[in-house]
Amino acid sequence: MYLPIFSKDLKNYKDRKVCLIGKVIDIQEEKKVIRLKLLDTFGFFDVVLFDVYNIKLFDTLLILGNVSEYNNNFSVIVRYLSILNGDDEILWRKFFIKKIKKNIKKNNKENKMDEEKDKEEKAYDEELPEEVKLRKQILEFIRDNDKDDGVSLKDIKNFFDISEEKLSNIIIDLLSSGEIYESSPEKYKVI
């Protein structure tokens, strides 16, 4: 799902799918790439296109894409783009603001629930044996670092300083219990 955000939040959504609305203030055409600078309520942001669109200065665009970082600059790699006319712009901006308000409320509720859950988990974690803690940490690592194609065994091994045999046993246990699956050879995803 594409999350509606503003330009000020780009750095918090690196490698995630986002939705933005902005007005074109600069167009730079290169060989196979078109770079746009768009303006929204909180500033400007850069957009990278690989397809040719009939975009003019001051067009309002609805952008769906992934946030990427290059040389400490964040930009959106476009997957879908729509040029909005006046009526569409108003409609989408209203929808956009509603979604953002809904996400803020949802995040506040989740934060409160997460704080309570963290307190309970800390108390519970102190009672768990070391191997169970490690199994839980590996499962969380896979969940947190999965970027659509799974997490490689090499990444897991590099992060956790444990023997290959112990890691292999934990991965086999997670696979057999149905908590993870192998999306491709030696790449794992949480179910």
Side-chain angles (χ1 to χ4, degrees):
M1 181 168 138
Y2 290 91
L3 299 169
I5 64 167
F6 291 111
S7 60
K8 67 177 183 171
D9 300 321
L10 277 178
K11 62 183 172 284
N12 300 331
Y13 291 90
K14 183 179 175 207
D15 297 325
R16 294 188 57 199
K17 295 177 179 179
V18 297
C19 173
L20 294 121
I21 297 175
K23 234 179 227 318
V24 178
I25 58 172
D26 186 31
I27 301 173
Q28 296 176 0
E29 293 185 30
E30 297 174 12
K31 290 182 182 178
K32 294 184 180 183
V33 176
I34 299 172
R35 297 182 190 280
L36 304 175
K37 192 168 293 279
L38 275 70
L39 184 68
D40 74 355
T41 311
F42 292 97
F44 63 90
F45 58 97
D46 295 321
V47 172
V48 179
L49 299 166
F50 295 101
D51 293 328
V52 177
Y53 293 92
N54 188 19
I55 298 171
K56 300 177 206 96
L57 278 177
F58 307 113
D59 279 349
T60 301
L61 304 180
L62 173 68
I63 304 286
L64 300 177
N66 293 346
V67 177
S68 67
E69 179 184 14
Y70 180 73
N71 287 342
N72 251 358
N73 293 323
F74 291 90
S75 60
V76 179
I77 308 297
V78 174
R79 295 188 91 170
Y80 306 101
L81 174 140
S82 179
I83 301 171
L84 304 176
N85 63 28
D87 293 337
D88 288 343
E89 180 180 350
I90 293 168
L91 177 76
W92 275 103
R93 287 197 187 269
K94 281 183 179 180
F95 176 75
F96 202 73
I97 290 170
K98 279 184 185 177
K99 278 288 197 184
I100 288 176
K101 284 181 181 178
K102 191 175 183 181
N103 283 344
I104 290 171
K105 285 180 184 176
K106 183 180 174 185
N107 287 340
N108 288 340
K109 284 181 184 176
E110 285 177 359
N111 287 340
K112 288 178 185 174
M113 289 171 57
D114 285 345
E115 287 172 9
E116 292 172 8
K117 188 177 179 182
D118 287 344
K119 288 178 188 175
E120 291 172 6
E121 282 183 359
K122 284 180 185 176
Y124 178 72
D125 282 348
E126 292 171 2
E127 301 170 9
L128 294 175
E130 188 63 34
E131 187 146 331
V132 175
K133 286 182 185 177
L134 186 58
R135 183 181 188 278
K136 189 175 178 183
Q137 290 171 345
I138 290 173
L139 189 61
E140 287 177 17
F141 179 80
I142 294 170
R143 183 178 293 118
D144 295 341
N145 293 291
D146 181 13
K147 294 186 175 97
D148 292 333
D149 61 339
V151 178
S152 71
L153 186 63
K154 183 179 176 185
D155 290 341
I156 299 169
K157 188 173 181 336
N158 290 340
F159 187 79
F160 294 97
D161 190 25
I162 58 173
S163 71
E164 194 168 319
E165 181 183 337
K166 194 173 189 178
L167 177 62
S168 177
N169 287 339
I170 291 172
I171 293 294
I172 290 170
D173 183 44
L174 289 169
L175 285 166
S176 64
S177 66
E179 295 182 66
I180 65 172
Y181 67 96
E182 196 167 10
S183 59
S184 61
E186 294 193 344
K187 286 206 171 201
Y188 303 98
K189 293 178 74 80
V190 174
I191 292 179

